[in-house]
């Protein structure tokens, strides 16, 4: 306890007496790593070593008195645990004596490009600069929160590992020196910045092959990539990027593994909104929408609440902050109201979903009573879905959407819980 108090007093750690838990800030972890002579996190060091050929790993082992006859994963763990310099390994220790400098540079360029797809892979003139480019890439990756597959996909992967890989919980717990007994929990692992690839890379190849066989995952090529691809839950990945799609953030979407053109964004935003509303248990009535729509007036979404009553939903994905085209929306929604009435339907509510809204737009909506219009930010709608999923309700009480001009997610989340 004295050690904990001393570390807390000098600002190295935070300590919670209530939960008896020690917290270490990422900045402190990075500093401690540098003090120990480690340029990157062990999990990234392992990823680099796994891209080397086994004879190259054996060269490193022989130079540091590590038994090179051990299984490959054991040799890699020994190299990491010995604190051997990554720079020294890539610059000197994996190359045979007499290797030309240009060949070393070419090898590092190929490692950067083909193995890790690093932007500007040939950056740097000297070998040291090229290696530094690789180190910078992984240190930037450490700051990112991307999981590479959807959260649901990660959760399903952990469940299947627990079922199909003997003592997988113990392997993860021991390898990453985690304190809790049951560590195969997505929230717990992400607290330690452990992502799907980090978990898979600690298992022996024969264990991964057996897992692929049990789960009917293809074994040709890179096993880890094959496993991650099989858990790439596309629908949930799109839903988790719902706000990015609403804002048309093409770069962020590409970084998160979503390839989509600007021309496709609008339709995708509508489709995802339909999916969210359906997951909330609302009746998104496509046949009624097609029946009501005309050549000139096409509503995005119709929610059928029964007794010839409907809610009209309009979706707007925009690049600029603060949606501010009230007169245009008003004309559209008025046309949809008239269209519904001609089909014997009564519109009890209209909803507009966009990334966000300007103050001017909200003020104009407050003065508009004929359309009974409410506004929902895309992030709010997604958060309401997440809150609903953790509630015990089978259907979302849509009347919660009837009150405010700008829907407040906090109030709705509190109500459904």
């Amino acid at each position: 306890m004295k050690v904990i108090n001393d570390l807390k007093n000098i600002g190295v750690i935070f300590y919670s007496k209530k939960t008896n838990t020690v917290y270490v800030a990422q900045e402190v972890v990075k500093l401690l790593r540098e003090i120990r002579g480690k340029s990157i996190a062990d999990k990234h060091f392992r990823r680099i070593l796994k891209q080397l050929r086994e004879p190259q790993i054996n060269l490193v082992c022989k130079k540091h008195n590590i038994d090179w006859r051990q299984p490959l994963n054991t040799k890699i763990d020994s190299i990491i645990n010995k604190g051997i310099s990554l720079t020294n390994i890539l610059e000197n220790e994996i190359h045979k004596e007499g290797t030309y400098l240009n060949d070393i540079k070419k090898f590092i360029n190929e490692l950067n490009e083909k193995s890790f797809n690093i932007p500007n892979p040939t950056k740097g003139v000297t070998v040291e600069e090229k290696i530094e480019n690789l180190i910078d890439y992984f240190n930037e990756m450490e700051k990112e929160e991307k999981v590479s597959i959807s959260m649901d996909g990660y959760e399903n992967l952990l469940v299947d590992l627990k079922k199909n890989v003997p003592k997988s919980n113990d392997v993860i717990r021991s390898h990453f020196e985690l304190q809790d007994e049951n560590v195969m929990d997505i929230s717990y692992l992400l607290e330690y910045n452990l992502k799907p690839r980090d978990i898979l890379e600690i298992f022996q190849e024969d264990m991964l092959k057996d897992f692929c066989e049990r789960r009917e995952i293809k074994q040709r090529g890179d096993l880890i990539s094959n496993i991650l691809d099989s858990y790439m839950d596309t629908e949930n990945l799109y839903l988790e990027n719902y706000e990015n799609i609403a804002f048309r953030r093409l770069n962020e979407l590409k970084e998160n593994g979503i390839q989509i053109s600007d021309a496709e964004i609008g339709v995708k935003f509508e489709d995802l909104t339909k999916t969210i509303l359906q997951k909330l248990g609302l009746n998104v009535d496509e046949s009624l929408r097609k029946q009501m729509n005309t050549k000139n007036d096409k509503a995005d979404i119709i929610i059928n609440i029964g007794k010839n009553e409907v809610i009209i939903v309009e979706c707007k994905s925009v690049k600029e902050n603060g949606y501010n085209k009230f007169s245009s929306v008003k004309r559209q929604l008025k046309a949809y109201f008239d269209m519904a009435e001609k089909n014997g339907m009564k519109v009890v509510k209209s909803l507009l979903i966009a990334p966000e809204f300007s103050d001017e737009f909200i003020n104009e909506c407050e003065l508009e009573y004929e359309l009974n219009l409410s506004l929902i930010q895309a992030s709010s709608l997604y958060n309401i879905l997440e809150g609903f999923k953790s509630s015990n309700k089978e259907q979302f009480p849509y009347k919660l959407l009837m009150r405010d001009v700008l829907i407040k997610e906090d109030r709705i989340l509190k109500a459904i819980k």
Side-chain angles (χ1 to χ4, degrees), residues 327-373:
S327 58
S328 172
V329 169
K330 183 177 179 180
R331 283 194 301 272
Q332 273 185 300
L333 290 175
K334 184 68 173 71
Y336 301 155
F337 268 61
D338 295 341
M339 185 173 70
E341 285 180 5
K342 287 177 184 176
N343 283 270
M345 309 301 294
K346 179 184 178 183
V347 181
V348 297
K349 186 71 179 175
S350 58
L351 301 173
L352 177 63
I353 300 169
E356 62 181 15
F357 302 93
S358 68
D359 291 340
E360 182 184 348
F361 191 97
I362 295 169
N363 290 336
E364 288 192 75
C365 285
E366 286 175 344
L367 299 173
E368 171 56 54
Y369 61 89
E370 189 179 359
L371 299 176
N372 194 13
L373 175 62

Short mmCIF file of all heavy atoms in Angstrom, two decimals, residues 327-373:
data_model
loop_
_atom_site.label_atom_id
_atom_site.label_comp_id
_atom_site.label_asym_id
_atom_site.label_seq_id
_atom_site.Cartn_x
_atom_site.Cartn_y
_atom_site.Cartn_z
N SER A 327 -37.05 26.13 -45.11
CA SER A 327 -38.10 26.35 -46.11
C SER A 327 -38.20 25.16 -47.07
O SER A 327 -39.30 24.75 -47.45
CB SER A 327 -37.82 27.64 -46.89
OG SER A 327 -36.55 27.58 -47.51
N SER A 328 -37.04 24.59 -47.43
CA SER A 328 -37.03 23.43 -48.33
C SER A 328 -37.68 22.22 -47.66
O SER A 328 -38.50 21.53 -48.27
CB SER A 328 -35.58 23.11 -48.71
OG SER A 328 -35.52 21.90 -49.42
N VAL A 329 -37.33 21.97 -46.40
CA VAL A 329 -37.91 20.84 -45.66
C VAL A 329 -39.41 21.03 -45.47
O VAL A 329 -40.19 20.08 -45.61
CB VAL A 329 -37.21 20.68 -44.29
CG1 VAL A 329 -37.96 19.70 -43.40
CG2 VAL A 329 -35.78 20.21 -44.48
N LYS A 330 -39.81 22.25 -45.18
CA LYS A 330 -41.23 22.53 -44.96
C LYS A 330 -42.05 22.20 -46.20
O LYS A 330 -43.11 21.58 -46.11
CB LYS A 330 -41.41 24.00 -44.56
CG LYS A 330 -42.85 24.37 -44.24
CD LYS A 330 -42.95 25.82 -43.78
CE LYS A 330 -44.41 26.16 -43.50
NZ LYS A 330 -44.56 27.57 -43.04
N ARG A 331 -41.54 22.61 -47.39
CA ARG A 331 -42.25 22.33 -48.63
C ARG A 331 -42.35 20.81 -48.86
O ARG A 331 -43.40 20.31 -49.26
CB ARG A 331 -41.53 22.98 -49.82
CG ARG A 331 -41.77 24.48 -49.95
CD ARG A 331 -41.33 24.99 -51.30
NE ARG A 331 -39.92 24.75 -51.56
CZ ARG A 331 -38.94 25.58 -51.20
NH1 ARG A 331 -39.24 26.71 -50.56
NH2 ARG A 331 -37.70 25.30 -51.47
N GLN A 332 -41.24 20.10 -48.60
CA GLN A 332 -41.25 18.65 -48.79
C GLN A 332 -42.28 17.98 -47.89
O GLN A 332 -43.12 17.19 -48.34
CB GLN A 332 -39.86 18.08 -48.46
CG GLN A 332 -38.89 18.09 -49.62
CD GLN A 332 -37.59 17.40 -49.24
OE1 GLN A 332 -36.90 17.81 -48.32
NE2 GLN A 332 -37.26 16.35 -49.96
N LEU A 333 -42.21 18.29 -46.59
CA LEU A 333 -43.10 17.63 -45.63
C LEU A 333 -44.56 17.97 -45.88
O LEU A 333 -45.45 17.13 -45.72
CB LEU A 333 -42.69 18.00 -44.20
CG LEU A 333 -41.35 17.41 -43.73
CD1 LEU A 333 -40.99 17.95 -42.36
CD2 LEU A 333 -41.42 15.89 -43.69
N LYS A 334 -44.83 19.22 -46.29
CA LYS A 334 -46.22 19.62 -46.59
C LYS A 334 -46.76 18.77 -47.75
O LYS A 334 -47.92 18.32 -47.72
CB LYS A 334 -46.26 21.11 -46.96
CG LYS A 334 -47.67 21.64 -47.21
CD LYS A 334 -48.48 21.65 -45.92
CE LYS A 334 -49.83 22.33 -46.11
NZ LYS A 334 -50.76 21.52 -46.94
N ALA A 335 -45.91 18.51 -48.75
CA ALA A 335 -46.32 17.68 -49.88
C ALA A 335 -46.61 16.25 -49.43
O ALA A 335 -47.57 15.62 -49.89
CB ALA A 335 -45.22 17.68 -50.95
N TYR A 336 -45.80 15.76 -48.48
CA TYR A 336 -46.01 14.40 -47.97
C TYR A 336 -47.30 14.30 -47.16
O TYR A 336 -48.01 13.30 -47.21
CB TYR A 336 -44.83 13.94 -47.11
CG TYR A 336 -43.49 13.95 -47.81
CD1 TYR A 336 -42.30 14.07 -47.08
CD2 TYR A 336 -43.39 13.85 -49.19
CE1 TYR A 336 -41.08 14.08 -47.71
CE2 TYR A 336 -42.17 13.87 -49.84
CZ TYR A 336 -41.01 13.98 -49.08
OH TYR A 336 -39.79 14.01 -49.71
N PHE A 337 -47.62 15.38 -46.40
CA PHE A 337 -48.87 15.43 -45.64
C PHE A 337 -50.06 15.31 -46.59
O PHE A 337 -50.99 14.53 -46.36
CB PHE A 337 -48.95 16.74 -44.85
CG PHE A 337 -48.41 16.66 -43.45
CD1 PHE A 337 -47.07 16.33 -43.23
CD2 PHE A 337 -49.21 16.89 -42.35
CE1 PHE A 337 -46.55 16.26 -41.94
CE2 PHE A 337 -48.70 16.82 -41.06
CZ PHE A 337 -47.37 16.51 -40.85
N ASP A 338 -50.01 16.10 -47.66
CA ASP A 338 -51.11 16.09 -48.64
C ASP A 338 -51.23 14.72 -49.31
O ASP A 338 -52.33 14.20 -49.53
CB ASP A 338 -50.88 17.16 -49.71
CG ASP A 338 -50.93 18.57 -49.12
OD1 ASP A 338 -51.49 18.73 -48.02
OD2 ASP A 338 -50.40 19.51 -49.76
N MET A 339 -50.05 14.14 -49.59
CA MET A 339 -50.00 12.83 -50.24
C MET A 339 -50.62 11.76 -49.34
O MET A 339 -51.36 10.89 -49.79
CB MET A 339 -48.52 12.51 -50.51
CG MET A 339 -48.22 11.26 -51.28
SD MET A 339 -46.43 11.22 -51.63
CE MET A 339 -45.77 10.92 -49.98
N ALA A 340 -50.33 11.84 -48.04
CA ALA A 340 -50.88 10.87 -47.08
C ALA A 340 -52.39 11.00 -46.98
O ALA A 340 -53.12 10.00 -46.95
CB ALA A 340 -50.22 11.05 -45.71
N GLU A 341 -52.86 12.24 -46.91
CA GLU A 341 -54.31 12.48 -46.80
C GLU A 341 -55.07 11.93 -48.00
O GLU A 341 -56.16 11.37 -47.86
CB GLU A 341 -54.57 13.98 -46.64
CG GLU A 341 -54.23 14.51 -45.26
CD GLU A 341 -54.50 16.00 -45.12
OE1 GLU A 341 -55.06 16.58 -46.09
OE2 GLU A 341 -54.14 16.57 -44.07
N LYS A 342 -54.47 12.05 -49.18
CA LYS A 342 -55.11 11.51 -50.39
C LYS A 342 -55.25 9.98 -50.32
O LYS A 342 -56.09 9.39 -50.98
CB LYS A 342 -54.31 11.90 -51.62
CG LYS A 342 -54.46 13.37 -52.00
CD LYS A 342 -53.59 13.72 -53.19
CE LYS A 342 -53.69 15.22 -53.49
NZ LYS A 342 -52.79 15.62 -54.59
N ASN A 343 -54.36 9.36 -49.52
CA ASN A 343 -54.40 7.90 -49.36
C ASN A 343 -55.16 7.48 -48.11
O ASN A 343 -55.07 6.34 -47.67
CB ASN A 343 -52.97 7.35 -49.30
CG ASN A 343 -52.31 7.27 -50.66
OD1 ASN A 343 -52.41 6.26 -51.34
ND2 ASN A 343 -51.65 8.35 -51.06
N GLY A 344 -55.89 8.44 -47.52
CA GLY A 344 -56.71 8.14 -46.36
C GLY A 344 -55.94 7.95 -45.08
O GLY A 344 -56.43 7.33 -44.12
N MET A 345 -54.73 8.51 -45.02
CA MET A 345 -53.90 8.39 -43.83
C MET A 345 -53.78 9.73 -43.11
O MET A 345 -53.73 10.79 -43.75
CB MET A 345 -52.49 7.88 -44.19
CG MET A 345 -52.47 6.63 -45.07
SD MET A 345 -53.28 5.21 -44.31
CE MET A 345 -52.21 4.91 -42.93
N LYS A 346 -53.71 9.67 -41.80
CA LYS A 346 -53.52 10.87 -40.99
C LYS A 346 -52.08 10.91 -40.48
O LYS A 346 -51.61 9.95 -39.86
CB LYS A 346 -54.49 10.88 -39.81
CG LYS A 346 -54.32 12.11 -38.91
CD LYS A 346 -55.25 12.04 -37.70
CE LYS A 346 -55.03 13.24 -36.78
NZ LYS A 346 -55.87 13.16 -35.56
N VAL A 347 -51.38 12.01 -40.73
CA VAL A 347 -49.99 12.16 -40.26
C VAL A 347 -50.03 12.76 -38.85
O VAL A 347 -50.44 13.91 -38.67
CB VAL A 347 -49.17 13.06 -41.20
CG1 VAL A 347 -47.75 13.18 -40.69
CG2 VAL A 347 -49.19 12.53 -42.62
N VAL A 348 -49.64 11.98 -37.86
CA VAL A 348 -49.68 12.46 -36.47
C VAL A 348 -48.35 13.09 -36.05
O VAL A 348 -48.28 13.79 -35.03
CB VAL A 348 -50.04 11.31 -35.50
CG1 VAL A 348 -51.42 10.78 -35.79
CG2 VAL A 348 -49.00 10.19 -35.54
N LYS A 349 -47.31 12.86 -36.84
CA LYS A 349 -46.00 13.39 -36.46
C LYS A 349 -45.08 13.37 -37.67
O LYS A 349 -45.19 12.48 -38.54
CB LYS A 349 -45.39 12.53 -35.35
CG LYS A 349 -44.08 13.07 -34.77
CD LYS A 349 -44.33 14.31 -33.95
CE LYS A 349 -43.06 14.86 -33.35
NZ LYS A 349 -43.30 16.15 -32.64
N SER A 350 -44.17 14.33 -37.77
CA SER A 350 -43.10 14.26 -38.77
C SER A 350 -41.76 14.41 -38.04
O SER A 350 -41.65 15.19 -37.09
CB SER A 350 -43.26 15.34 -39.84
OG SER A 350 -43.27 16.63 -39.28
N LEU A 351 -40.78 13.66 -38.47
CA LEU A 351 -39.45 13.67 -37.87
C LEU A 351 -38.41 13.98 -38.93
O LEU A 351 -38.48 13.47 -40.05
CB LEU A 351 -39.12 12.30 -37.25
CG LEU A 351 -40.05 11.77 -36.16
CD1 LEU A 351 -39.68 10.34 -35.80
CD2 LEU A 351 -40.00 12.67 -34.92
N LEU A 352 -37.47 14.82 -38.58
CA LEU A 352 -36.35 15.11 -39.47
C LEU A 352 -35.06 14.66 -38.78
O LEU A 352 -34.77 15.08 -37.66
CB LEU A 352 -36.29 16.61 -39.78
CG LEU A 352 -35.11 17.06 -40.65
CD1 LEU A 352 -35.18 16.41 -42.03
CD2 LEU A 352 -35.08 18.59 -40.79
N ILE A 353 -34.30 13.82 -39.47
CA ILE A 353 -33.06 13.30 -38.91
C ILE A 353 -31.89 13.82 -39.74
O ILE A 353 -31.85 13.65 -40.96
CB ILE A 353 -33.07 11.75 -38.89
CG1 ILE A 353 -34.26 11.27 -38.05
CG2 ILE A 353 -31.77 11.20 -38.33
CD1 ILE A 353 -34.55 9.81 -38.16
N ALA A 354 -30.95 14.47 -39.07
CA ALA A 354 -29.77 15.04 -39.73
C ALA A 354 -28.60 15.00 -38.74
O ALA A 354 -28.80 14.71 -37.55
CB ALA A 354 -30.07 16.48 -40.16
N PRO A 355 -27.37 15.27 -39.21
CA PRO A 355 -26.22 15.22 -38.29
C PRO A 355 -26.37 16.18 -37.11
O PRO A 355 -26.11 15.83 -35.98
CB PRO A 355 -25.04 15.62 -39.17
CG PRO A 355 -25.49 15.49 -40.56
CD PRO A 355 -26.96 15.55 -40.59
N GLU A 356 -26.79 17.40 -37.40
CA GLU A 356 -27.09 18.39 -36.35
C GLU A 356 -27.88 19.53 -36.98
O GLU A 356 -28.05 19.57 -38.20
CB GLU A 356 -25.81 18.89 -35.67
CG GLU A 356 -24.84 19.61 -36.58
CD GLU A 356 -23.59 20.06 -35.85
OE1 GLU A 356 -23.34 19.58 -34.74
OE2 GLU A 356 -22.88 20.91 -36.40
N PHE A 357 -28.35 20.46 -36.15
CA PHE A 357 -29.21 21.53 -36.64
C PHE A 357 -28.72 22.88 -36.11
O PHE A 357 -28.24 22.97 -34.97
CB PHE A 357 -30.66 21.31 -36.18
CG PHE A 357 -31.23 20.00 -36.62
CD1 PHE A 357 -31.15 18.88 -35.79
CD2 PHE A 357 -31.83 19.86 -37.86
CE1 PHE A 357 -31.67 17.67 -36.19
CE2 PHE A 357 -32.35 18.65 -38.26
CZ PHE A 357 -32.26 17.55 -37.43
N SER A 358 -28.84 23.90 -36.94
CA SER A 358 -28.45 25.24 -36.50
C SER A 358 -29.51 25.79 -35.54
O SER A 358 -30.67 25.35 -35.54
CB SER A 358 -28.32 26.17 -37.71
OG SER A 358 -29.60 26.39 -38.29
N ASP A 359 -29.12 26.76 -34.74
CA ASP A 359 -30.07 27.40 -33.81
C ASP A 359 -31.21 28.06 -34.57
O ASP A 359 -32.37 28.02 -34.13
CB ASP A 359 -29.33 28.45 -32.96
CG ASP A 359 -28.37 27.82 -31.98
OD1 ASP A 359 -28.53 26.62 -31.68
OD2 ASP A 359 -27.44 28.52 -31.52
N GLU A 360 -30.89 28.64 -35.72
CA GLU A 360 -31.91 29.31 -36.53
C GLU A 360 -32.96 28.29 -36.99
O GLU A 360 -34.16 28.57 -36.97
CB GLU A 360 -31.24 29.97 -37.74
CG GLU A 360 -32.21 30.74 -38.63
CD GLU A 360 -31.53 31.30 -39.87
OE1 GLU A 360 -30.28 31.28 -39.93
OE2 GLU A 360 -32.26 31.73 -40.78
N PHE A 361 -32.50 27.11 -37.42
CA PHE A 361 -33.41 26.08 -37.90
C PHE A 361 -34.34 25.62 -36.76
O PHE A 361 -35.54 25.48 -36.94
CB PHE A 361 -32.60 24.88 -38.43
CG PHE A 361 -33.41 23.87 -39.18
CD1 PHE A 361 -33.47 23.89 -40.56
CD2 PHE A 361 -34.12 22.89 -38.50
CE1 PHE A 361 -34.23 22.96 -41.26
CE2 PHE A 361 -34.88 21.97 -39.19
CZ PHE A 361 -34.93 22.00 -40.58
N ILE A 362 -33.75 25.41 -35.58
CA ILE A 362 -34.55 24.97 -34.43
C ILE A 362 -35.60 26.02 -34.07
O ILE A 362 -36.76 25.70 -33.78
CB ILE A 362 -33.62 24.69 -33.21
CG1 ILE A 362 -32.69 23.52 -33.53
CG2 ILE A 362 -34.45 24.39 -31.96
CD1 ILE A 362 -31.58 23.33 -32.52
N ASN A 363 -35.20 27.30 -34.11
CA ASN A 363 -36.14 28.39 -33.78
C ASN A 363 -37.32 28.43 -34.76
O ASN A 363 -38.46 28.64 -34.37
CB ASN A 363 -35.41 29.73 -33.79
CG ASN A 363 -34.44 29.87 -32.63
OD1 ASN A 363 -34.61 29.19 -31.61
ND2 ASN A 363 -33.42 30.70 -32.78
N GLU A 364 -37.03 28.21 -36.04
CA GLU A 364 -38.10 28.22 -37.05
C GLU A 364 -39.05 27.04 -36.84
O GLU A 364 -40.26 27.16 -37.04
CB GLU A 364 -37.50 28.18 -38.45
CG GLU A 364 -36.81 29.50 -38.85
CD GLU A 364 -36.48 29.55 -40.34
OE1 GLU A 364 -37.40 29.73 -41.14
OE2 GLU A 364 -35.29 29.39 -40.66
N CYS A 365 -38.50 25.90 -36.45
CA CYS A 365 -39.34 24.72 -36.19
C CYS A 365 -40.28 24.96 -35.00
O CYS A 365 -41.41 24.47 -34.98
CB CYS A 365 -38.47 23.50 -35.90
SG CYS A 365 -37.71 22.82 -37.38
N GLU A 366 -39.79 25.68 -34.02
CA GLU A 366 -40.62 25.97 -32.83
C GLU A 366 -41.85 26.80 -33.19
O GLU A 366 -42.87 26.73 -32.52
CB GLU A 366 -39.76 26.70 -31.78
CG GLU A 366 -38.77 25.77 -31.08
CD GLU A 366 -37.86 26.51 -30.12
OE1 GLU A 366 -37.78 27.76 -30.24
OE2 GLU A 366 -37.23 25.87 -29.27
N LEU A 367 -41.71 27.60 -34.26
CA LEU A 367 -42.84 28.45 -34.69
C LEU A 367 -43.77 27.72 -35.65
O LEU A 367 -44.85 28.22 -35.96
CB LEU A 367 -42.29 29.73 -35.36
CG LEU A 367 -41.42 30.63 -34.47
CD1 LEU A 367 -40.81 31.75 -35.30
CD2 LEU A 367 -42.23 31.19 -33.31
N GLU A 368 -43.36 26.54 -36.13
CA GLU A 368 -44.16 25.77 -37.09
C GLU A 368 -45.01 24.74 -36.34
O GLU A 368 -44.49 23.87 -35.67
CB GLU A 368 -43.22 25.05 -38.08
CG GLU A 368 -43.89 24.05 -38.98
CD GLU A 368 -45.04 24.63 -39.78
OE1 GLU A 368 -44.82 25.63 -40.46
OE2 GLU A 368 -46.16 24.08 -39.71
N TYR A 369 -46.34 24.88 -36.40
CA TYR A 369 -47.24 23.98 -35.67
C TYR A 369 -47.98 23.03 -36.60
O TYR A 369 -48.42 21.96 -36.20
CB TYR A 369 -48.25 24.79 -34.85
CG TYR A 369 -49.14 25.69 -35.67
CD1 TYR A 369 -50.35 25.23 -36.18
CD2 TYR A 369 -48.77 27.01 -35.94
CE1 TYR A 369 -51.17 26.05 -36.95
CE2 TYR A 369 -49.58 27.83 -36.72
CZ TYR A 369 -50.78 27.35 -37.21
OH TYR A 369 -51.57 28.15 -37.98
N GLU A 370 -48.10 23.38 -37.86
CA GLU A 370 -48.91 22.59 -38.80
C GLU A 370 -48.31 21.21 -39.05
O GLU A 370 -49.03 20.21 -39.18
CB GLU A 370 -49.03 23.36 -40.13
CG GLU A 370 -50.02 22.72 -41.10
CD GLU A 370 -50.13 23.53 -42.38
OE1 GLU A 370 -49.46 24.58 -42.51
OE2 GLU A 370 -50.88 23.10 -43.27
N LEU A 371 -46.98 21.13 -39.11
CA LEU A 371 -46.31 19.88 -39.47
C LEU A 371 -46.03 18.99 -38.25
O LEU A 371 -45.64 17.84 -38.41
CB LEU A 371 -44.98 20.18 -40.18
CG LEU A 371 -45.09 20.95 -41.50
CD1 LEU A 371 -43.69 21.26 -42.04
CD2 LEU A 371 -45.89 20.16 -42.53
N ASN A 372 -46.21 19.55 -37.03
CA ASN A 372 -45.89 18.79 -35.81
C ASN A 372 -44.51 18.13 -35.96
O ASN A 372 -44.35 16.91 -35.81
CB ASN A 372 -46.97 17.74 -35.54
CG ASN A 372 -46.87 17.17 -34.12
OD1 ASN A 372 -46.16 17.71 -33.27
ND2 ASN A 372 -47.57 16.08 -33.88
N LEU A 373 -43.51 18.94 -36.24
CA LEU A 373 -42.18 18.47 -36.60
C LEU A 373 -41.25 18.41 -35.39
O LEU A 373 -41.18 19.34 -34.59
CB LEU A 373 -41.58 19.40 -37.66
CG LEU A 373 -40.14 19.15 -38.10
CD1 LEU A 373 -39.99 17.76 -38.74
CD2 LEU A 373 -39.69 20.23 -39.09
#
